Amino acid sequence: MTMSKEDARTVPPRQADGGVTVTPAVGLTDVSVRFRGRDRDVTAVHGVSLDVKPGEFVAIVGPSGCGKSTLLKLVAGLLSPSAGDVRVGGEQVKGPRHDIGYVFQRAALLEWRSARRNILLQAEIRKMAAAEARERADALIRMTGLSGFEDAYPHELSGGMQQRVALCRALLHEPPVLLMDEPFGALDALTREQMNMELNRIWRETGTTVLLVTHSISEAVYLADRVVVMSPRPGTITEIIEVGLPAEREYSETLGRPEFHAAATHIRDLLGAVSAHD
């Protein structure tokens, strides 16, 4: 049977509990990525399948080099799979996506632009209406606690504030999917905790689907609905853990809950086991 272009582009929605059909916000089906090296080919990820529901927060953890960031690049359309299928909102990813927000480990702000103008760079690139973009930027500035620092330059902002600016920039065009690659890895412990709480609040307020890569088990469990544990290269999914915590999470109280300790301990045991067999 030959599929039409329309059929090939849009995947049928999956059946959800209660008989309601829900198209995954992000869908990876049997995805593998191989890179051609000078002496041999290297398989970064192999046979990865994952569905992320709309509005869900999913964290990915695993050893260095297991392909966590590679998965984000696949979803963003910055990298093509060697095998398998990648979809966003049911549409096959065939190139860079314009409906994705991306936050990296470093804020990568332009030093000659103020905080607000760094956020509005997104609008200039996407040719958004100026008045609408300005209104949206100001709302995000208020949401992330940057009020009063709109005209500050990057060198006048702390690391945490710079990452807030980067987060605002990524959310300016109201993307349905936000990709975050170790966004708080360079921050000190206290600032990282504060940013975790801020991100939880922003996620609840915006309803954005979030896919987060992190090396921190506690960060993954605190923030996510589910945590994907990856094996060493070639990266495969070892297990997906349902965290079982309420969406609204006060930091200290959450870290003391038995569900948090159970999930964190299980993930730590899994990573210890895969490392022992590396």
Side-chain angles (χ1 to χ4, degrees):
M1 178 178 176
T2 303
M3 295 179 68
S4 68
K5 291 183 178 179
E6 185 68 20
D7 291 332
R9 191 181 73 249
T10 305
V11 68
R14 308 293 172 88
Q15 194 77 12
D17 292 340
V20 178
T21 55
V22 178
T23 299
V26 175
L28 305 174
T29 304
D30 201 21
V31 169
S32 296
V33 176
R34 291 182 292 276
F35 296 107
R36 184 173 297 280
R38 186 172 58 182
D39 300 320
R40 60 188 177 89
D41 290 352
V42 175
T43 301
V45 296
H46 177 72
V48 170
S49 295
L50 173 68
D51 279 353
V52 181
K53 297 186 290 289
E56 188 178 20
F57 197 125
V58 172
I60 305 174
V61 299
S64 295
C66 71
K68 300 184 297 296
S69 297
T70 297
L71 293 181
L72 294 193
K73 291 175 183 176
L74 288 170
V75 175
L78 303 177
L79 188 66
S80 298
S82 304
D85 186 63
V86 183
R87 294 176 184 263
V88 172
E91 292 187 353
Q92 189 174 45
V93 176
K94 296 182 178 180
R97 301 285 304 191
H98 299 292
D99 54 352
I100 294 288
Y102 214 132
V103 181
F104 300 92
Q105 182 171 359
R106 300 200 176 275
L109 304 180
L110 300 180
E111 293 293 334
W112 59 91
R113 297 181 71 128
S114 66
R116 180 188 280 115
R117 292 189 63 231
N118 263 289
I119 296 168
L120 289 172
L121 179 63
Q122 183 82 266
E124 295 170 21
I125 293 171
R126 297 176 184 277
K127 295 180 170 55
M128 295 170 62
E132 178 185 344
R134 174 85 177 213
E135 182 178 346
R136 171 74 176 159
D138 287 346
L140 287 167
I141 286 168
R142 291 191 297 271
M143 180 187 294
T144 54
L146 286 169
S147 297
F149 294 91
E150 302 94 328
D151 299 320
Y153 288 87
H155 71 273
E156 299 173 313
L157 302 173
S158 67
M161 295 177 80
Q162 289 184 27
Q163 281 299 83
R164 289 170 192 250
V165 174
L167 182 56
C168 289
R169 183 177 59 194
L171 291 172
L172 186 69
H173 59 299
E174 301 184 80
V177 176
L178 177 65
L179 307 177
M180 307 189 79
D181 194 354
E182 283 283 344
F184 310 135
L187 304 179
D188 63 85
L190 181 58
T191 303
R192 188 168 187 159
E193 288 181 11
Q194 293 171 338
M195 290 301 297
N196 280 183
M197 290 185 284
E198 194 74 14
L199 179 57
N200 173 258
R201 182 179 62 82
I202 292 169
W203 166 64
R204 287 186 285 107
E205 291 183 5
T206 61
T208 303
T209 304
V210 181
L211 198 54
L212 167 77
V213 162
T214 178
H215 280 99
S216 169
I217 295 173
S218 60
E219 182 171 80
V221 176
Y222 171 73
L223 287 169
D225 293 314
R226 292 187 294 156
V227 179
V228 177
V229 180
M230 300 283 291
S231 72
R233 184 188 301 149
T236 60
I237 294 179
T238 302
E239 190 173 329
I240 300 176
I241 291 88
E242 296 274 354
V243 173
L245 290 167
E248 186 172 354
R249 303 174 188 181
E250 192 280 323
Y251 198 81
S252 298
E253 188 272 338
T254 299
L255 267 60
R257 292 178 68 111
E259 303 98 312
F260 179 92
H261 284 286
T265 299
H266 185 52
I267 293 167
R268 195 169 288 110
D269 288 345
L270 286 171
L271 290 175
V274 296
S275 297
H277 291 87
D278 189 6

